[in-house]
Amino acid sequence: MGGDHGPSVTVPAVLDALRRHADLHIVLVGLSEPTRAALGRSSASFGSRLLLREVTQVVSMDERPQDALRKKKDSSMRVALDLVKSGEADACVSAGNTGALMATGRFVLKTIDGIDRPAIISRIRARHGYTHMLDLGANAQCSAQHLFQFAVMGAVVAGDMAGIAQPRIGILNIGEEETKGDGVVQEAARLLSASQLNYVGFVEGNDIFSGEADVVVTDGFTGNVALKAIEGLANMLVGAIKEQYTANPLRYLGAIASWPALRSLRREFDPRTYNGASMVGLNGVVVKSHGSADVLSFGNAIGVGLAEAQKGVPTRIGQMLREQLAHVSEHISPLLPASEPHTTEVTHAAGGSC
Amino acid sequence: MGGDHGPSVTVPAVLDALRRHADLHIVLVGLSEPTRAALGRSSASFGSRLLLREVTQVVSMDERPQDALRKKKDSSMRVALDLVKSGEADACVSAGNTGALMATGRFVLKTIDGIDRPAIISRIRARHGYTHMLDLGANAQCSAQHLFQFAVMGAVVAGDMAGIAQPRIGILNIGEEETKGDGVVQEAARLLSASQLNYVGFVEGNDIFSGEADVVVTDGFTGNVALKAIEGLANMLVGAIKEQYTANPLRYLGAIASWPALRSLRREFDPRTYNGASMVGLNGVVVKSHGSADVLSFGNAIGVGLAEAQKGVPTRIGQMLREQLAHVSEHISPLLPASEPHTTEVTHAAGGSC
């Protein structure tokens, strides 16, 4: 039901996905009338692969997460997450309210053992292909242990989902020298250096695109600002290019003459092809589509959910975290008691969800 | 002496600036041999408007700020700042080591009364013209009072330098709702709301470009990451456009046919035209050029130094801060003792310079 377009985008994307993936089953969770209207007669052809679970509530895009959690127990979002909890579904894909999805996901599914907080991870188009970046907005303030946990989750996603062997992990900082930044990134660097992960050191904002790292780890405040700044610049440039190429008939001819180049650029950087941010760290797969997603774009988010479920990402995160925590405690045990994470550096944010 | 190119860029830029501004006087501070070599015979034509102050040391681009401060007392950077301190110069313009320039500037010039920490501010090309953003990397962690002081400094720069009446000030956050973000941005918002500044609320990363605000205030960690992420994306896109337009002869013809559009775009977004970040909050004008600046670009940094000196930006910051602090304490005095800034929310970074 979520996003800017609701079932008019999500339902056609679901039908497309069912056509493309023969072993995919989808439970559409939504209000009866708009969902049935969007389905039309198409649903019949998929038999039991497409089920409709009718609900009576919807979480609005600007609703406060705590209100959604308390008052919307029969919302499409809540019921979809309940299906993951009960095992009736292997993944939940939503274009809805990010904060509400995170809060409800955390309440219903709980975090993986050893993960304090779930994080939002997404692929970002870079020179070498894609960079995986997290956290993109779930946690405004983070301790070194949180950043360490994010690194483990990023390593699993980049490794299992993108097939990168030994993904290179960088911590976002304001300089590459080891002495840069505050106590949190310093301590996170120390923990990662003691792990078996392929930690490559501090990286800077431009390294999101440079190919220096496959996984860029940061707190949710910095990650969210950087992601939105990138989107803002990209939108401004696309607008300026359109304006210049349509300024007069001669310019328009120029655009036609350079159409192959413009088309290649559009394909190369089409943000729709990498829609679908994952909420990692939960006991279940939860994928958040951009609210403005179109059918193609939402289809890609469904693809992310399908792949994460097939790879068993949450289980893999739990395994990897246990392994790495064991390895780290062995090497710097006095500073990392296994029972109680070391959190002196940072005051936890009271309500830092995005 | 600083930057990637040293006197081969700075000296020609100085000669250009002297030609363009009849009332400008410049003291070149540098090692004798390379500076004289770059000057050639050109210097004679400017008489006393161009002086050379020879020094024996240079701060290298990767030198630690504290080392530069302690060991390089006859460096071009230190001597140029000493000239500002003594009143022999009205501004210092450098393409050198940012951290060393900030630390030495702070040591030599001290901060303006009431300003705890200097900040780095720069114009960023946006839809509506330019957005002024600070801090871009001087302070990794900031309290609400620091953000308030940054807002005052940004208001003076946007007002006096860019001629914006009542510049709109936004605090960078991960959502526009008043309840978003941590205690620091919340408290900064409360302080700004009680001031006479034109505070427009929280803004998000994309608003650096949207035109929602003339001044975007943030801590130096987030600001630095966002700025470098923007630069990284811009570089990647420029590279991709070049690659597509030169992929084969037909593409190249397309580029020629659309040359007017491409040229307009290049002009519109040429980062050289807004080179020159200011280190505001010091008792004197200090401008930092991008290290990779070319002659045109470094010339713009000189122009920023000239304009800030003519407008008396440091004095104006002191005035504006006194006025706004008085106004704020009148309205929320119990929470803002004038003598001692309220700093419970944040642990200060030990060495957060960039």
Side-chain angles (χ1 to χ4, degrees), chain A residues 48-307:
Chain A
S48 67
R49 288 178 57 214
L50 177 58
L51 302 176
L52 174 59
R53 175 70 65 100
E54 292 180 6
V55 293
T56 57
Q57 291 179 308
V58 170
V59 174
S60 67
M61 291 303 274
D62 53 2
E63 195 154 354
R64 286 155 47 106
Q66 55 271 47
D67 292 342
L69 195 52
R70 212 168 33 228
K71 300 175 191 163
K72 297 287 178 73
K73 291 181 185 164
D74 195 42
S75 64
S76 50
M77 185 182 282
R78 174 65 177 270
V79 171
L81 288 163
D82 285 341
L83 290 176
V84 175
K85 172 72 181 172
S86 67
E88 290 169 79
D90 296 308
C92 163
V93 181
S94 168
N97 182 321
T98 309
L101 186 64
M102 179 55 93
T104 311
R106 202 169 163 178
F107 177 79
V108 171
L109 300 172
K110 311 291 185 262
T111 55
I112 295 165
D113 254 2
I115 299 285
D116 295 319
R117 301 176 178 196
I120 300 175
I121 186 169
S122 182
R123 294 190 297 165
I124 294 174
R125 189 72 175 81
R127 276 183 209 271
H128 63 303
Y130 294 95
T131 300
H132 295 76
M133 185 157 142
L134 77 168
D135 173 31
L136 296 176
N139 311 283
Q141 286 187 314
C142 296
S143 71
Q145 280 66 31
H146 297 146
L147 295 183
F148 178 81
Q149 293 163 15
F150 295 172
V152 168
M153 299 196 282
V156 169
V157 171
D160 288 7
M161 295 284 292
I164 301 167
Q166 290 287 325
R168 294 160 304 155
I169 295 166
I171 297 178
L172 203 53
N173 199 351
I174 58 174
E176 290 180 6
E177 303 80 2
E178 280 181 23
T179 56
K180 291 277 180 172
D182 60 18
V184 174
V185 294
Q186 290 285 331
E187 173 67 6
R190 206 173 67 90
L191 295 175
L192 281 173
S193 300
S195 79
Q196 295 164 310
L197 297 174
N198 185 10
Y199 173 63
V200 296
F202 291 139
V203 296
E204 299 187 71
N206 50 305
D207 293 318
I208 297 168
F209 304 99
S210 71
E212 289 285 307
D214 301 303
V215 178
V216 169
V217 172
T218 190
D219 66 87
F221 192 96
T222 310
N224 186 276
V225 166
L227 180 72
K228 286 183 179 158
I230 291 165
E231 288 178 354
L233 174 59
N235 285 337
M236 178 176 77
L237 292 178
V238 167
I241 289 170
K242 274 190 189 155
E243 205 171 280
Q244 287 300 338
Y245 274 111
T246 54
N248 60 49
L250 206 64
R251 293 282 180 89
Y252 200 76
L253 282 177
I256 292 168
S258 59
W259 184 240
L262 291 171
R263 191 183 46 196
S264 296
L265 287 167
R266 201 180 59 173
R267 276 193 195 146
E268 196 175 342
F269 295 104
D270 187 346
R272 297 180 302 168
T273 59
Y274 49 97
N275 181 42
S278 307
M279 294 189 171
V280 285
L282 296 169
N283 281 309
V285 174
V286 179
V287 176
K288 168 68 176 76
S289 159
H290 209 290
S292 66
D294 62 8
V295 173
L296 171 65
S297 190
F298 193 79
N300 280 310
I302 296 174
V304 171
L306 175 62

Side-chain angles (χ1 to χ4, degrees), chain A residues 62 64 99 125-127 137 139-141 172-175 177 179-185 204-209 218-222 224-226 228-237 239-241 243-245 250-251 253-255 257-258 260-265 268-269 345-347 349 351-354, chain B residues 62 64 99 125-127 137 139-141 172-175 177 179-185 204-209 218-222 224-226 228-237 239-241 243-245 250-251 253-255 257-258 260-265 268-269 345-347 349 351-354:
Chain A
D62 53 2
R64 286 155 47 106
R125 189 72 175 81
R127 276 183 209 271
N139 311 283
Q141 286 187 314
L172 203 53
N173 199 351
I174 58 174
E177 303 80 2
T179 56
K180 291 277 180 172
D182 60 18
V184 174
V185 294
E204 299 187 71
N206 50 305
D207 293 318
I208 297 168
F209 304 99
T218 190
D219 66 87
F221 192 96
T222 310
N224 186 276
V225 166
K228 286 183 179 158
I230 291 165
E231 288 178 354
L233 174 59
N235 285 337
M236 178 176 77
L237 292 178
I241 289 170
E243 205 171 280
Q244 287 300 338
Y245 274 111
L250 206 64
R251 293 282 180 89
L253 282 177
S258 59
L262 291 171
R263 191 183 46 196
S264 296
L265 287 167
E268 196 175 342
F269 295 104
E345 297 281 359
V346 153
T347 314
S353 64
C354 82
Chain B
D62 54 0
R64 285 153 49 104
R125 188 72 175 78
R127 274 181 210 272
N139 311 284
Q141 285 188 313
L172 203 53
N173 200 349
I174 57 174
E177 303 80 3
T179 55
K180 291 277 181 172
D182 60 18
V184 174
V185 294
E204 300 187 71
N206 50 305
D207 293 318
I208 297 168
F209 304 99
T218 190
D219 65 87
F221 191 96
T222 311
N224 186 275
V225 165
K228 286 183 178 158
I230 291 165
E231 288 178 354
L233 174 60
N235 286 337
M236 178 176 78
L237 292 179
I241 289 170
E243 205 171 280
Q244 288 299 341
Y245 274 111
L250 205 65
R251 293 281 179 92
L253 281 178
S258 59
L262 291 171
R263 192 182 47 197
S264 297
L265 286 168
E268 195 176 343
F269 296 104
E345 295 282 359
V346 154
T347 314
S353 63
C354 83

Side-chain angles (χ1 to χ4, degrees), chain A residues 313-346:
Chain A
V313 166
T315 309
R316 291 273 299 135
I317 287 173
Q319 285 169 350
M320 174 77 92
L321 184 68
R322 278 192 300 277
E323 283 167 27
Q324 296 311 318
L325 280 180
H327 197 267
V328 171
S329 346
E330 215 169 276
H331 287 74
I332 48 173
S333 51
L335 290 152
L336 186 84
S339 55
E340 196 187 350
H342 159 79
T343 51
T344 52
E345 297 281 359
V346 153

Side-chain angles (χ1 to χ4, degrees), chain B residues 182-204:
Chain B
D182 60 18
V184 174
V185 294
Q186 290 284 332
E187 173 68 6
R190 207 173 66 92
L191 295 175
L192 281 173
S193 300
S195 79
Q196 294 164 310
L197 297 174
N198 186 10
Y199 173 61
V200 296
F202 292 138
V203 296
E204 300 187 71

